[in-house]
C-alpha cells in the first residue's frame, strides 16, 4: 500500500463549508465526505480488499481502516479518532473517524494545502439572525488544479446561482502588502486561539502539530486550524 496509488480529489468530490462569518464576508473550508473515501478505496484497492471497524478507546471513538497488501499477504491498518470527547454512538462521529483514518491512508491530504478562502460580503448574502450572522448561500468547487507536489495551486468556487465567487489561478501574483498584513493578522489570531485552548485543556502544542506533520502554528492551513480547534474545544479542561 503506497500513497502514490491514491489519486487526487476531483472538484465534484470536494465540499465547501463555512469557517467564519461576519458582516464583511465569510471564509470557506474544503472537505471531503465519506462517499468520496469509499469510492477511492474501491477504485485503488478493490471493494473486497479494504474494510473498516470502530472501537472506543479511552472514551474516544476510533476508526480502523484495513487494506490488504497483495505483496505482503497481510492487512495494513490505519487508525484515527473521530472526536476528542466521544460519549454516544452517533453516525456523525463514526463518519468523522472514518474520514480521518482515510487521510492517514493518503486520501484528501491535499486539502490541507488549501489557501485562505475569503468571500467578501458583496459576493454573498449575509443576514443577522438572533445576534449572529448567517447565510443560506451554497458553494461548490468548479475547478481545482494541483502542483507536482500535490498542493492546490488553482481553485474556482461558485454559488447556487452559478456565479463565481472565488478564483485562484496558478499565475496569480504574490500577494501585495495589504494581503500580507491580513495573513499576518490571521496567523496571530490563530496562535492566540490555539494557545487559549492549550492552556484550558493542558494539551501539549507538539501533540497538535504532530497530528498534521508541521512544526508551527503558522504553517497551519485554514482547514488544519479549524480541525485542530474543533478537537481542542471538545477536550475536557485539565485537572487543577
Amino acid at each position: 500500500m503506497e500513497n502514490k496509488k491514491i489519486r487526487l480529489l476531483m472538484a465534484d468530490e470536494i465540499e465547501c463549508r463555512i469557517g467564519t462569518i461576519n458582516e464583511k464576508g465569510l471564509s470557506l473550508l474544503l472537505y471531503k465526505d465519506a462517499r468520496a473515501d469509499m469510492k477511492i478505496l474501491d477504485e485503488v484497492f478493490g471493494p473486497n480488499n479494504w474494510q473498516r471497524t470502530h472501537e472506543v478507546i479511552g472514551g474516544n471513538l476510533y476508526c480502523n481502516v484495513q487494506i490488504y497488501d497483495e505483496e505482503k499477504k497481510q492487512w495494513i491498518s490505519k487508525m484515527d479518532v473521530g472526536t476528542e470527547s466521544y460519549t454516544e454512538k452517533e453516525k456523525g462521529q463514526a463518519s468523522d473517524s472514518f474520514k480521518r483514518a482515510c487521510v492517514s491512508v493518503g486520501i484528501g491530504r491535499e486539502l490541507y494545502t488549501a489557501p485562505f478562502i475569503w468571500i467578501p460580503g458583496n459576493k454573498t448574502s449575509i443576514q443577522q439572525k438572533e445576534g449572529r450572522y448567517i447565510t443560506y448561500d451554497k458553494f461548490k468547487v468548479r475547478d481545482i488544479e494541483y502542483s507536482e507536489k500535490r498542493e492546490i495551486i488553482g481553485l474556482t468556487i461558485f454559488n447556487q446561482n452559478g456565479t463565481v465567487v472565488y478564483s485562484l489561478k496558478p499565475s496569480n501574483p504574490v500577494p501585495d502588502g495589504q494581503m500580507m498584513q491580513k495573513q499576518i493578522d490571521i496567523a496571530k489570531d490563530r496562535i492566540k486561539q490555539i494557545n487559549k485552548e492549550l492552556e484550558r485543556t493542558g494539551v501539549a502544542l507538539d501533540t497538535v502539530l504532530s497530528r498534521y506533520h508541521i512544526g508551527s502554528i503558522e504553517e497551519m492551513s485554514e482547514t488544519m486550524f479549524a480541525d485542530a480547534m474543533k478537537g481542542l474545544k471538545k477536550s475536557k479542561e485539565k485537572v487543577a
Side-chain angles (χ1 to χ4, degrees):
M1 184 187 71
E2 298 180 4
N3 288 340
K4 67 180 181 180
K5 296 180 180 179
I6 305 294
R7 67 167 173 80
L8 296 164
L9 292 171
M10 296 183 287
D12 61 0
E13 295 172 327
I14 300 173
E15 295 183 346
C16 296
R17 300 181 188 175
I18 295 175
T20 59
I21 183 171
N22 56 45
E23 72 279 9
K24 296 181 180 180
L26 58 86
S27 65
L28 293 178
L29 306 174
L30 302 183
Y31 286 86
K32 61 181 175 65
D33 63 19
R35 288 173 295 181
D37 288 318
M38 290 186 283
K39 178 182 177 182
I40 293 176
L41 286 170
D42 284 350
E43 287 179 5
V44 177
F45 305 106
N48 298 321
N49 291 327
W50 70 271
Q51 59 188 11
R52 61 187 278 195
T53 57
H54 293 272
E55 61 181 307
V56 177
I57 303 176
N60 297 324
L61 179 66
Y62 284 78
C63 177
N64 188 18
V65 173
Q66 295 181 308
I67 298 172
Y68 190 73
D69 190 313
E70 294 287 354
E71 294 182 359
K72 297 180 179 179
K73 302 300 181 183
Q74 65 182 37
W75 289 92
I76 305 299
S77 301
K78 298 290 184 179
M79 178 183 282
D80 210 332
V81 64
T83 177
E84 296 297 332
S85 56
Y86 176 78
T87 55
E88 300 292 339
K89 293 184 178 180
E90 298 180 8
K91 180 180 179 181
Q93 294 171 341
S95 177
D96 187 48
S97 61
F98 173 62
K99 289 184 288 185
R100 287 174 182 264
C102 286
V103 171
S104 297
V105 172
I107 302 175
R109 289 183 186 176
E110 59 272 19
L111 296 184
Y112 286 133
T113 71
F116 176 67
I117 305 171
W118 178 255
I119 312 300
N122 62 355
K123 291 187 177 182
T124 184
S125 177
I126 297 176
Q127 306 173 30
Q128 190 169 16
K129 185 177 181 180
E130 297 179 354
R132 63 190 185 94
Y133 292 96
I134 63 170
T135 183
Y136 294 104
D137 288 354
K138 304 296 181 182
F139 304 96
K140 291 185 178 180
V141 174
R142 188 176 72 182
D143 301 295
I144 191 165
E145 186 173 347
Y146 303 98
S147 69
E148 293 181 356
K149 295 181 179 180
R150 301 174 70 92
E151 297 176 343
I152 297 173
I153 57 174
L155 181 66
T156 303
I157 296 174
F158 65 100
N159 62 16
Q160 71 279 0
N161 299 319
T163 302
V164 174
V165 295
Y166 178 87
S167 179
L168 171 70
K169 299 180 180 179
S171 59
N172 278 1
V174 176
D176 58 21
Q178 183 177 0
M179 183 58 72
M180 288 295 290
Q181 184 58 51
K182 184 175 183 178
Q183 292 176 337
I184 291 173
D185 291 341
I186 290 172
K188 289 181 178 179
D189 184 59
R190 286 178 180 174
I191 292 172
K192 181 178 179 181
Q193 291 186 58
I194 289 237
N195 283 335
K196 182 179 179 180
E197 288 301 311
L198 293 177
E199 175 63 26
R200 181 184 69 81
T201 62
V203 175
L205 176 59
D206 287 345
T207 300
V208 176
L209 298 179
S210 63
R211 184 185 190 102
Y212 306 101
H213 308 289
I214 56 176
S216 67
I217 298 174
E218 289 86 348
E219 296 176 51
M220 280 187 168
S221 67
E222 182 75 5
T223 302
M224 286 181 187
F225 173 73
D227 188 64
M229 287 298 293
K230 176 183 176 183
L232 286 170
K233 287 183 177 181
K234 289 183 178 180
S235 296
K236 297 179 179 179
E237 292 189 11
K238 64 181 179 182
V239 179

